[in-house]
Amino acid sequence: MLSKRRLLSALAVAALLPASAVADASTQGEQLFQQHCAKCHGSTGQANTWRGWLFFAKNLSKSSWQNSVSDDEITQAIKQGPGVMPAYADSLSSDEQQNILKFVRTLGN
Ligand code: HEC
């Protein structure tokens, strides 16, 4: 017979599965951004955070910047980390970097 604990963990797994199945690329990009980037660039990219102010982080929501920067340049920034920004080449997979790039592109509105 199933122990109560097993039953609970089976239920927990069942509850998690559908959520991860619908976590598409854009959701993942947003989550990764909030996790890794928002502390400096702010949750909406405006860099209106304490660290953003301290480090002169780029305001990623400015349309003048969005219009002048290429996807490649953003990807390079994520990989190499200009200035005091950390480099993410080793800590994020290229899929994750691309999903973050897509999310960064939604910040310009
Ligand atoms: C420790 C704070 C910090 C974190 C964390 C951080 N950044 Fe930055 N970021 C900066 C700073 C500071 C700059 C400006 C660097 C410079 O030009 O000297 C910058 C610049 C950028 C630029 C602009 C590059 C350009 O060509 O204009 C992009 C894009 C960017 N960051 C994206 C991200 C993304 C995406 C993440 C998360 C994966 C992230 N940053 C995490 C501080 C941070």
Side-chain angles (χ1 to χ4, degrees):
M1 196 186 129
L2 272 179
S3 73
K4 195 173 172 193
R5 203 162 152 202
R6 280 231 175 141
L7 187 65
L8 281 178
S9 60
L11 283 176
V13 169
L16 286 174
L17 277 179
S20 60
V22 295
D24 58 10
S26 64
T27 317
Q28 195 209 26
E30 175 163 10
Q31 282 168 354
L32 289 168
F33 185 90
Q34 302 307 347
Q35 189 182 341
H36 296 285
C37 323
K39 53 180 174 266
C40 291
H41 292 285
S43 55
T44 58
Q46 290 173 311
N48 53 353
T49 65
W50 159 239
R51 277 202 192 76
W53 175 80
L54 190 68
F55 295 142
F56 303 101
K58 180 75 86 180
N59 179 346
L60 305 176
S61 70
K62 270 181 102 177
S63 54
S64 56
W65 176 77
Q66 285 278 349
N67 293 333
S68 68
V69 72
S70 71
D71 286 359
D72 270 0
E73 284 166 331
I74 296 178
T75 308
Q76 284 311 308
I78 296 172
K79 281 191 204 297
Q80 294 168 2
V84 296
M85 178 176 151
Y88 292 92
D90 296 332
S91 52
L92 295 171
S93 71
S94 40
D95 273 358
E96 290 172 328
Q97 294 168 16
Q98 287 311 298
N99 292 341
I100 293 178
L101 162 66
K102 286 186 195 124
F103 179 70
V104 167
R105 283 307 193 186
T106 69
L107 297 173
N109 315 311

